[in-house]
Amino acid sequence: RCCFVVDPWSCGKRVSGLPISNMPKVKTKPRSRQQRQETKGPGPGIRFNTGLGQHILKNPLIVNSIVEKAALRPTDVVLEVGPGTGNMTVKMLEKVKKVIACELDVKLVGELQKRVQGTPLASKLEIKIGDVLKSDLPFFDACVANLPYQISSPFVFKLLLHRPFFRCAVLMFQREFALRLVARPGSPQYCRLSVNTQLLARVDHLMKIGRNNFKPPPKVESSVVRIEPKNPPPPINFQEWDGLLRIVFVRKNKTLSAVFNSNAVKRLLEQNYRIHCSQNNLKIPENFNIGNLIQGVLHDTGYSEKRARIMDIDDFIRVLHGFNAEGIHFS
């Protein structure tokens, strides 16, 4: 069949009759979830899997700035988690004794190896393939990484509990997570993560990074944070400490008196108290009431009407010592 074609330069006049055939519709297969999460990378055959947190930092100015802020030394051994295609790895290899790169994706391991192959930097690079959370960390002086965001919290505490001590860590996080790390009492972001991290380390927010500096761009904004572990660490049982914080930050806007009046909390602490007495051959009075003991501790320490959202580390230490002195434990 024929139809008229309008020439765009003919002021809308019909200029010719051309045959047009009906084109068959081509059915496309729906992409799998993994295919939707994969984005084509810069090299042939490279696809970045955003499901694994693969967002490569592509801005060389920011890469240089992060490396400079780490204040690396020629004698340093540096741990990098998630090196990707090696943009930051190569810059650090030029400055330090050795870089230990931990990567989960074997395809990116191959790209990183090709990048340094045949250069003097190759002998300074050690690659560990696998999940960094499931393996022991090696010895290192500093940790510098554009971290996969889904492992941020467990990796930070794995880092802070690592021995021997490292000098510092300069890490990229999701902006929201970074602000929680550095939050101070009274701020909306202040939470258990803030207190736990600041108990064990000094934490500073260094810079904000826009999403367009990554390939592929993440859905969130990012920030770079510097973490310096406290050496020696405070003389506190971390399991006890974290147990206390888990209770008080469930409802951080309530008074401690109200938080500890919960039946679930009282059952937990009474069970721990009876275990403590059994282990230390202490007799429990017949008219024992865990609720009265808890409220007595809070009253005597002066924290009965305080709220977790405005308490600092020293406050929590006093509360913990007050409970422990009466045989009440949190782990």
Side-chain angles (χ1 to χ4, degrees):
R1 63 192 177 88
C2 295
C3 75
F4 289 99
V5 177
V6 178
D7 186 343
W9 305 105
S10 62
C11 300
K13 297 179 181 178
R14 294 177 292 183
V15 295
S16 63
L18 298 175
I20 295 179
S21 60
N22 291 324
M23 296 296 291
K25 294 182 178 180
V26 179
K27 293 183 178 180
T28 58
K29 295 181 179 179
R31 295 194 303 166
S32 67
R33 180 178 179 181
Q34 181 176 354
Q35 288 173 328
R36 291 196 301 269
Q37 290 176 333
E38 290 182 346
T39 303
K40 195 75 167 62
I46 304 177
R47 287 187 177 276
F48 297 130
N49 190 337
T50 57
L52 295 178
Q54 292 176 357
H55 300 279
I56 307 303
L57 184 58
K58 65 180 183 179
N59 188 330
L61 295 178
I62 294 178
V63 170
N64 289 338
S65 180
I66 292 173
V67 173
E68 289 300 322
K69 289 180 182 300
L72 300 176
R73 304 168 184 171
T75 56
D76 279 345
V77 175
V78 178
L79 175 68
E80 183 182 16
V81 178
T85 55
N87 292 345
M88 196 149 59
T89 316
V90 171
K91 289 294 180 184
M92 292 192 293
L93 285 170
E94 295 170 355
K95 293 177 173 290
V96 302
K97 177 182 177 182
K98 183 180 182 180
V99 172
I100 303 173
C102 300
E103 178 57 65
L104 187 62
D105 191 336
V106 292
K107 291 182 293 185
L108 291 184
V109 169
E111 291 300 318
L112 181 56
Q113 288 174 327
K114 283 192 291 185
R115 187 159 183 174
V116 299
Q117 191 174 16
T119 72
L121 303 179
S123 61
K124 301 165 69 175
L125 175 63
E126 178 184 341
I127 300 177
K128 290 184 176 292
I129 304 174
D131 188 342
V132 70
L133 296 179
K134 296 179 180 178
S135 56
D136 294 331
L137 296 180
F139 167 83
F140 60 94
D141 300 294
C143 179
V144 183
N146 172 21
L147 208 62
Y149 292 166
Q150 61 266 43
I151 68 168
S152 295
S153 185
F155 182 74
V156 165
F157 287 105
K158 186 180 182 72
L159 207 58
L160 291 176
L161 297 176
H162 175 68
R163 300 294 182 270
F165 284 97
F166 58 96
R167 188 173 69 253
C168 75
V170 176
L171 305 172
M172 181 93 71
F173 295 114
Q174 180 179 335
R175 177 81 49 78
E176 181 184 355
F177 183 87
L179 293 179
R180 288 164 59 201
L181 281 179
V182 301
R184 296 293 184 255
S187 71
Q189 293 84 10
Y190 192 60
C191 61
R192 183 169 67 95
L193 174 68
S194 317
V195 184
N196 271 337
T197 307
Q198 293 168 33
L199 171 75
L200 300 173
R202 175 185 171 185
V203 191
D204 297 300
H205 185 281
L206 298 182
M207 67 175 94
K208 298 178 181 179
I209 309 294
R211 67 188 72 182
N212 292 329
N213 293 291
F214 298 87
K215 174 73 175 182
K219 296 180 181 180
V220 296
E221 301 296 321
S222 304
S223 286
V224 178
V225 171
R226 181 184 177 91
I227 300 174
E228 296 180 19
K230 294 178 180 177
N231 186 8
I236 291 176
N237 182 319
F238 187 74
Q239 283 68 35
E240 281 270 325
W241 170 267
D242 190 50
L244 169 64
L245 296 188
R246 284 179 184 273
I247 291 174
V248 299
F249 274 101
V250 168
R251 294 181 177 86
K252 67 178 182 179
N253 294 319
K254 285 186 172 290
T255 64
L256 294 196
S257 177
V259 169
F260 280 96
N261 199 39
S262 159
N263 288 331
V265 172
K266 287 191 287 189
R267 282 196 300 269
L268 172 65
L269 297 186
E270 181 171 0
Q271 179 183 3
N272 290 349
Y273 180 79
R274 292 183 179 278
I275 292 173
H276 168 76
C277 290
S278 174
Q279 291 175 340
N280 292 276
N281 296 320
L282 299 176
K283 186 177 180 180
I284 301 176
E286 292 183 4
N287 59 346
F288 172 74
N289 185 301
I290 189 65
N292 292 340
L293 183 58
I294 290 171
Q295 295 302 325
V297 170
L298 293 175
H299 179 270
D300 293 343
T301 55
Y303 288 95
S304 182
E305 298 304 310
K306 298 288 186 179
R307 291 168 169 80
R309 64 180 175 84
I310 60 171
M311 294 170 61
D312 61 19
I313 289 176
D314 290 337
D315 292 326
F316 290 118
I317 290 176
R318 293 188 191 102
V319 172
L320 180 61
H321 286 167
F323 278 119
N324 288 168
E326 295 296 328
I328 299 177
H329 294 271
F330 297 87
S331 67

